[in-house]
């Protein structure tokens, strides 16, 4: 075991404790007040420069916001959990400008390396059975309906440990290091607003990744992720006209039938020979009573595509369907985009850096290293990756192997905490690969 691995191994107990701490206090989307404040305080104490609020989020560019009441409740909850030093960071977050960027500069010429870690949870009620380890061992979610059921608690933990090791060994390194702790990854709602705030300015290399997904064995690693799908999340609100269903049906405009027709036609959109496409209408609600022509309708939808262009093809087809059906049924519509991200592929150079790091890591078995794999799903990191690549930088996304007790976004989700050491080790080796001065 070399010096890098020894340093990582020394943090094992801290990694487990941090992961369980964040797991027990989940927050969703733009309401990660507690999580952001804790991270900010930890990073500042390490000696990083902290940016929060409007410095890292463009308010008008946010997507998929919750209600004012939900925001106020989240702030109130955060205040009950935070100590005095941590609570000082809340004011900068205003009405949900959560997430942060932490930077440290060696003072020596070198590359600007950025790491992105997502910090929000998902809207899942955690399993309360003793067979579920977080419940049995007392670190399950303290908020009904919210759970770290995707591994972001582990991502936060890896980010903090990596930041600590980089700071402790800063004399070994050149250049600048930037940590992007992103909120609202779920629903692909947060990256655009952070990117527009300039958080990627000057970044030469951007690293990111995820626990699990296609990498479902302990001590495994997928080094290069291809085909991160582009996506658009959107809601359709329909306004029709009520009427008595028997006495005067001709006077109504049926938003329920219009919504049903839209859902059927969207799922019938012709696929594209240029690549993978997806469509899903996940929610359809309409109507007020059995004897009333439905005056309202609502659909929650998403499109996906192997490229940004293919996703646009699907989304534009959906908009055409909405327009056409509205004319047929005499209803009006309002489309609201609630999330979205670009598609993309990892840079080959970054895949190679990950691969070399994996070979050197004692926390990963050589025969379990996979050079690359298709993601075939969406991740908000793709927007950051796309932006860095378009500016001449390099970026890549890995998947850290772990055994899973249940799939992502499942009430029984849990992962092997040894994977945290593997992730920190690989990310730290990337820093040395690009910015070592020893």
């Amino acid at each position: 075991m070399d010096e890098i691995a020894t340093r990582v191994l020394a943090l094992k107990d801290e990694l487990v404790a941090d992961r369980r701490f964040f797991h027990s206090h989940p927050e969703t989307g733009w309401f990660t007040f507690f999580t952001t404040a804790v991270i900010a305080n930890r990073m500042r104490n390490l000696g990083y420069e902290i940016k929060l609020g409007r410095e890292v989020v463009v308010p008008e560019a946010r997507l998929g916001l919750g209600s004012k009441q939900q925001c106020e409740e989240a702030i109130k909850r955060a205040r009950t959990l935070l100590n005095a030093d941590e609570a000082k960071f809340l004011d900068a977050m205003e009405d949900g400008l959560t997430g942060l960027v932490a930077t440290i500069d060696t003072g020596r010429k070198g590359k600007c390396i950025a790491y992105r870690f997502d910090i929000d949870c998902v809207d899942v009620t955690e399993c309360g059975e003793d067979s579920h380890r977080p419940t049995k061992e007392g670190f399950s979610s303290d908020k009904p309906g919210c759970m770290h059921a995707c591994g972001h608690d582990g991502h936060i933990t890896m980010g903090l440990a990596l930041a600590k090791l980089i700071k402790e060994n800063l004399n070994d390194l050149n250049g600048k290091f930037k940590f992007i702790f992103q909120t609202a990854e779920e629903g692909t709602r947060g990256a655009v607003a952070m990117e527009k705030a300039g958080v990627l300015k000057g970044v030469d290399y951007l690293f990111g990744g995820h626990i699990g997904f296609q990498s479902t064995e302990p001590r495994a690693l997928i080094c290069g992720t291809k085909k991160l799908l582009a996506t658009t999340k959107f809601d359709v609100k329909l306004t029709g006209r009520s009427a008595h269903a028997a006495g005067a049906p001709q006077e109504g405009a049926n938003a329920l039938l219009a919504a049903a027709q839209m859902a059927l036609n969207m799922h019938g959109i012709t696929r594209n020979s240029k690549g993978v496409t997806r469509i899903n209408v996940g929610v359809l609600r309409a109507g007020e009573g059995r004897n009333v022509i439905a005056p309202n309708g609502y659909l929650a939808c998403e499109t996906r595509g192997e490229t940004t262009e293919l996703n646009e093809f699907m989304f534009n087809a959906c908009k055409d369907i909405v327009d056409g059906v509205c004319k047929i049924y005499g209803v009006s519509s309002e489309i609201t985009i609630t999330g979205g991200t670009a598609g993309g592929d990892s840079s080959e150079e970054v895949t190679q850096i990950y691969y070399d790091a994996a070979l050197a890591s004692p926390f990963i078995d050589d025969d379990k290293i996979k050079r690359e794999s298709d993601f075939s799903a969406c991740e908000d990191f793709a927007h950051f990756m796309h932006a860095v690549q378009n500016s001449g930088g390099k970026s890549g996304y890995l998947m850290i192997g772990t055994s899973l007790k249940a799939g992502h976004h499942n009430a029984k989700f849990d992962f092997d905490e040894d994977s945290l050491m593997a992730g920190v080790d690989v990310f730290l080796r990337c820093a040395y690969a690009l910015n070592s001065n020893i």
Side-chain angles (χ1 to χ4, degrees):
M1 185 171 288
D2 64 8
E3 193 170 344
I4 289 178
T6 300
R7 294 169 187 165
V8 173
L9 183 61
L11 294 181
K12 180 177 180 178
D13 290 345
E14 184 177 324
L15 285 164
V16 172
D18 275 352
R19 181 262 164 154
R20 296 184 177 195
F21 171 74
F22 287 111
H23 187 90
S24 67
H25 302 302
E27 295 173 301
T28 186
W30 294 107
F31 301 148
T32 52
F33 294 99
F34 165 79
T35 309
T36 299
V38 171
I39 296 169
N41 192 56
R42 290 271 294 271
M43 296 296 282
R44 178 163 289 178
N45 289 341
L46 284 172
Y48 284 75
E49 176 191 354
I50 307 299
K51 289 187 176 182
L52 291 160
R54 292 175 181 266
E55 291 184 299
V56 298
V57 177
V58 174
E60 300 77 18
R62 291 178 294 171
L63 296 170
L65 300 179
S67 69
K68 182 179 179 181
Q69 180 181 350
Q70 289 173 317
C71 183
E72 291 173 349
E73 289 174 353
I75 295 172
K76 182 178 179 180
R77 173 175 176 267
R79 289 193 185 280
T80 67
L81 295 170
L82 297 169
N83 64 38
D85 289 336
E86 294 163 342
K88 292 176 182 177
F89 293 99
L90 288 176
D91 288 345
M93 301 181 216
E94 299 181 37
D95 65 343
L97 305 181
T98 52
L100 72 141
V101 175
T103 306
I104 197 163
D105 194 336
T106 66
R108 292 177 289 276
K109 186 176 180 180
K111 298 173 179 65
C112 178
I113 296 175
Y115 297 92
R116 176 277 209 167
F117 300 96
D118 40 17
I119 67 175
D120 57 324
C121 75
V122 292
D123 296 325
V124 170
T125 297
E126 187 156 14
C127 174
E129 300 170 4
D130 282 343
S131 59
H132 180 56
R133 183 177 62 155
T135 298
K136 182 178 180 180
E137 299 188 17
F139 64 95
S140 60
S141 169
D142 65 354
K143 186 175 181 182
C146 290
M147 177 191 172
H148 273 297
C150 197
H152 296 189
D153 49 345
H155 301 167
I156 300 165
T157 298
M158 288 190 292
L160 289 171
L162 178 65
K164 181 177 184 178
L165 291 172
I166 285 177
K167 175 59 170 61
E168 289 177 348
N169 299 281
L170 206 61
N171 290 335
D172 295 347
L173 299 163
N174 297 321
K176 182 185 294 186
F177 296 89
K178 181 179 289 191
F179 286 75
I180 301 169
F181 290 95
Q182 183 211 326
T183 192
E185 189 284 322
E186 298 294 347
T188 59
R189 296 175 288 150
V192 170
M194 294 192 81
E195 183 267 323
K196 286 183 179 295
V199 303
L200 299 175
K201 185 177 180 181
V203 170
D204 297 306
Y205 288 83
L206 173 67
F207 295 100
H210 209 293
I211 291 170
F213 276 107
Q214 279 88 347
S215 194
T216 55
E217 285 187 278
R219 303 182 61 83
L221 195 82
I222 296 174
C223 304
T225 305
K226 301 286 188 179
K227 295 185 180 180
L228 283 91
L229 302 185
T231 185
T232 301
K233 320 291 187 185
F234 63 99
D235 295 341
V236 182
K237 180 181 178 182
L238 300 177
T239 302
R241 190 168 57 253
S242 62
H244 195 290
Q250 73 280 1
E251 295 178 5
N254 199 318
L256 185 153
L257 292 181
Q261 192 68 47
M262 288 175 188
L264 290 171
N265 278 276
M266 286 180 184
H267 279 271
I269 293 172
T270 301
R271 296 302 181 257
N272 196 304
S273 63
K274 295 180 180 179
V276 173
T277 57
R278 297 282 190 271
I279 173 69
N280 190 57
V281 179
V283 178
L284 191 160
R285 294 194 297 267
E288 293 181 340
R290 79 173 64 247
N291 62 346
V292 180
I293 300 297
N296 53 62
Y298 168 83
L299 302 93
C301 317
E302 66 169 24
T303 58
R304 302 182 192 231
E306 188 174 322
T307 65
T308 301
E309 292 72 24
L310 285 167
N311 178 63
E312 289 175 352
F313 164 80
M314 295 297 291
F315 180 55
N316 288 333
C318 287
K319 289 194 294 183
D320 289 343
I321 288 168
V322 171
D323 289 343
V325 172
C326 282
K327 291 178 181 177
I328 294 170
Y329 284 88
V331 302
S332 61
S333 66
E334 178 183 350
I335 296 177
T336 302
I337 296 176
T338 61
T341 191
D345 298 320
S346 294
S347 301
E348 178 58 33
E349 183 179 340
V350 174
T351 297
Q352 185 64 48
I353 292 170
Y354 281 147
Y355 186 79
D356 293 340
L359 286 173
S361 175
F363 303 108
I364 297 168
D365 295 335
D366 289 359
D367 61 349
K368 293 182 180 178
I369 300 171
K370 188 174 183 179
R371 187 171 184 87
E372 60 186 31
S373 176
D374 290 348
F375 196 56
S376 298
C378 303
E379 225 281 15
D380 219 12
F381 180 83
H383 181 81
F384 287 136
M385 182 170 71
H386 197 66
V388 168
Q389 291 169 338
N390 284 348
S391 297
K394 308 292 184 182
S395 180
Y397 190 84
L398 55 73
M399 286 179 272
I400 302 163
T402 183
S403 57
L404 298 176
K405 296 299 182 181
H408 294 270
H409 295 201
N410 187 292
K412 294 184 178 182
F413 179 86
D414 191 21
F415 61 86
D416 172 13
E417 290 165 334
D418 282 350
S419 64
L420 299 171
M421 290 187 292
V424 174
D425 187 81
V426 168
F427 283 134
L428 185 57
R429 291 179 192 277
C430 293
Y432 275 93
L434 292 168
N435 268 348
S436 176
N437 67 12
I438 56 175

